[in-house]
Amino acid sequence: QVQLVESGGGLVQAGGSLRLSCAASGSIFSIGAMDWHRQAPGNERELVATIGSYGSTYYADSVKGRFTISRDNAKNTVVLQMNSLKPEDTAVYYCRVLVTTTTRRNYPYWGQGTQVTVSS
């Protein structure tokens, strides 16, 4: 079994910053891509940012230049630093991690979600 624990959401004023963290633990052999997704009320879940095993990154156009994704492979952790937050960034944020388990099976695992609310 693999568990993902997210932390760092909250309420912030527009222009402020938040830092989300997601730590994976359990029967992990290796970790591939690590992503952050978000879902606002009434909207579909969307990809915000992803980071590959060797550090390559991708950002949605809506967050480019404001958000930074990073990972610590030794700690199986992915972080999303969010700056210059806007009200439209309000959503539940989920991390997703592609795991190769100790039994050599590949699965995507999702965090429980953390609420980010940006007030105007």
Side-chain angles (χ1 to χ4, degrees):
Q1 271 291 52
V2 174
Q3 299 81 36
L4 299 186
V5 177
E6 298 182 24
S7 61
L11 172 64
V12 66
Q13 288 189 331
S17 298
L18 283 174
R19 183 175 182 272
L20 306 183
S21 181
C22 174
S25 62
S27 304
I28 298 171
F29 175 74
S30 65
I31 291 179
M34 307 178 85
D35 318 320
W36 286 96
H37 300 247
R38 68 186 181 187
Q39 187 167 20
N43 291 355
E44 294 187 353
R45 192 172 296 189
E46 62 175 353
L47 174 65
V48 175
T50 187
I51 184 166
S53 302
Y54 299 102
S56 60
T57 58
Y58 163 84
Y59 296 94
D61 287 343
S62 58
V63 307
K64 205 171 291 184
R66 301 187 296 121
F67 291 9
T68 302
I69 190 170
S70 61
R71 63 190 287 166
D72 183 333
N73 291 330
K75 297 181 179 180
N76 292 335
T77 298
V78 60
V79 170
L80 186 69
Q81 178 66 43
M82 304 185 294
N83 298 328
S84 302
L85 283 160
K86 304 175 180 180
E88 51 263 43
D89 294 318
T90 296
V92 178
Y93 284 70
Y94 300 89
C95 63
R96 187 188 71 163
V97 176
L98 299 180
V99 174
T100 300
T101 67
T102 52
T103 57
R104 302 304 189 269
R105 294 180 179 268
N106 300 316
Y107 295 112
Y109 288 89
W110 290 87
Q112 79 278 12
T114 186
Q115 177 70 46
V116 170
T117 303
V118 185
S119 62
S120 56

